[in-house]
Amino acid sequence: MIEPGATIGILGGGQLGRMIAMSAAQLGYRCHIFTPERESVAAEVSAECTVSPFTDSAALARFAAACDVLTFEFENIPTAPLAALEGALFPGVRALEIAQDRMREKNFVETLGGRPAPFAQVDTEDDLARAVERIGTPGILKTCRDGYDGKGQWRIDSAHDIAAIRLPDVPCVYEGFVDFQAEFSVILVRGRDGEVRFWDSTENRHVDGILSQSVWPPCDAISAQVEDARKLAREVAAALGYVGVLTLEFFATANGPVFNEMAPRVHNSGHWTIEGAATSQFENHVRAVCGLPLGDTATIAPKIAMDNLIGKDALTAHQSLADPAAHLHLYGKRDARDGRKMGHITRVWHRQ
């Protein structure tokens, strides 16, 4: 067990790191942020910050030596320099390696019995033409690595659209569209001893490829498929020897849950747990990586909604404070750019 008063090192300086650090402080830990960005909203609430590229092995070594345990707040971190941190880093490097590559992720999930959307690897224009012919349209071309919130993606509605796409000089994957009724996440926490606990699954609603709202309770289609989705999530966590919070995203379809992607970290669709669950995803992540007993994940209200504040939505967010059900979280970012996650509001209704 990592004793209170110790230092948790967090790779990444964004809002997820900020909320992890705030939960860590509540449990008596100090946090040290490692980020390549000079302006870090996580560093604002942490005891220390190292500003250096993730590829700087010497800086990483000094950072690790100053911390008692390490974790990360987003998955797009070069994994090669992290090999030296194995044993102190939770979750481990393998979870990052799989989550960073969409082809590897889909193949991994298939070996565990999961069902992703139809997919094919695309390295050339001929590969793309063959993939579209085999899988059909509509579909989405995605870069295998990087890209999130709709970035690095191109929609293909017919074979004629291929000519207009300038294929990036990186490996890609073509995915067939899924005819789904709703989208949801399975979020779990796994302790060092292998104990697993799940939060309830909200219904996730997206706008322009970015999560807009998470709602509890979800529609009936999601409720009927959560157990099957949890089974896969448990298998993934066990196969990775995972420690911490893990998120798998799914489509609820007429034929059962279809796997979309995994995130080896706390997740935007779990922000509602701060006020809506007995123990938030952030506190339980800290508990898990520090070897503490896991907290109760039960939902504590019959109706909950989490709304992301995107771009200029944050400029008028304080008006929500007049609503007694509302809990406002602003992340401290200065520039309210289009598509940028600036904060969120969770509304918790304790009575129907």
Side-chain angles (χ1 to χ4, degrees):
M1 185 183 84
I2 306 299
E3 297 288 343
T7 298
I8 301 171
I10 302 174
L11 295 160
Q15 66 263 20
L16 299 180
R18 179 186 180 96
M19 288 182 272
I20 292 171
M22 292 168 73
S23 286
Q26 180 180 326
L27 294 176
Y29 295 104
R30 303 170 75 253
C31 284
H32 185 161
I33 303 299
F34 190 105
T35 175
E37 299 173 343
R38 292 203 170 274
E39 291 190 6
S40 163
V41 297
E44 290 177 353
V45 298
S46 298
E48 297 179 70
C49 180
T50 294
V51 179
S52 186
F54 289 121
T55 52
D56 187 338
S57 297
L60 276 174
R62 291 192 296 271
F63 165 72
C67 301
D68 296 282
V69 67
L70 305 172
T71 189
F72 48 85
E73 61 112 36
F74 81 124
E75 60 266 43
N76 292 327
I77 302 172
T79 56
L82 301 184
L85 308 183
E86 281 283 33
L89 180 66
F90 300 97
V93 175
R94 186 164 174 246
L96 276 177
E97 291 173 337
I98 290 173
Q100 286 178 357
D101 188 296
R102 288 187 170 93
M103 278 297 300
R104 186 170 181 180
E105 178 185 69
K106 293 175 188 299
N107 288 323
F108 172 69
V109 164
E110 279 195 327
T111 65
L112 297 175
R115 182 165 59 99
F119 68 96
Q121 185 165 336
V122 173
D123 297 313
T124 67
E125 292 180 359
D126 287 342
D127 288 342
L128 179 56
R130 284 192 292 268
V132 170
E133 181 179 3
R134 178 172 67 83
I135 295 173
T137 57
I140 298 283
L141 177 68
K142 301 178 180 180
T143 55
C144 281
R145 303 180 69 87
D146 301 323
Y148 61 94
D149 288 344
K151 300 178 178 68
Q153 302 183 11
W154 300 265
R155 176 169 175 144
I156 298 176
D157 289 310
S158 73
H160 298 293
D161 293 341
I162 297 174
I165 294 177
R166 185 175 180 180
L167 200 65
D169 190 25
V170 293
C172 295
V173 58
Y174 179 70
E175 300 177 8
F177 259 35
V178 176
D179 184 12
F180 64 92
Q181 297 155 293
E183 298 177 77
F184 68 101
S185 301
V186 169
I187 306 178
L188 64 80
V189 61
R190 188 173 188 268
R192 291 198 189 194
D193 60 357
E195 181 186 2
V196 173
R197 296 190 180 192
F198 293 93
W199 283 271
D200 284 323
S201 289
T202 56
E203 181 173 341
N204 297 333
R205 299 165 182 171
H206 294 77
V207 176
D208 297 329
I210 302 175
L211 181 67
S212 174
Q213 186 180 59
S214 294
V215 177
W216 169 262
C219 65
D220 291 343
I222 291 173
S223 298
Q225 297 181 25
V226 165
E227 285 306 317
D228 285 345
R230 284 184 175 184
K231 181 179 178 182
L232 175 62
R234 188 185 291 272
E235 292 285 343
V236 168
L240 294 172
Y242 199 90
V243 174
V245 170
L246 171 68
T247 306
L248 271 68
E249 296 181 44
F250 292 90
F251 300 110
T253 78
N255 298 313
V258 172
F259 169 80
N260 182 24
E261 62 185 18
M262 65 177 266
R265 53 171 170 79
V266 292
H267 195 261
N268 194 172
S269 65
H271 288 356
W272 66 271
T273 63
I274 298 173
E275 288 85 22
T279 310
S280 77
Q281 62 168 346
F282 302 102
E283 180 177 333
N284 255 342
H285 186 74
V286 172
R287 290 188 185 210
V289 301
C290 290
L292 300 175
L294 300 181
D296 184 6
T297 54
T299 302
I300 62 172
K303 185 179 178 183
I304 302 168
M306 187 285 298
D307 291 275
N308 270 334
L309 297 170
I310 307 296
K312 293 182 179 180
D313 291 348
L315 301 181
T316 56
H318 287 93
Q319 296 175 7
S320 69
L321 296 176
D323 180 354
H327 301 267
L328 174 63
H329 297 258
L330 292 175
Y331 304 149
K333 298 178 181 180
R334 294 184 181 179
D335 299 323
R337 299 192 299 268
D338 289 346
R340 193 181 197 195
K341 294 175 181 176
M342 301 295 295
H344 71 269
I345 299 171
T346 299
R347 291 178 173 84
V348 179
W349 294 275
H350 290 280
R351 296 178 181 178
Q352 289 283 23

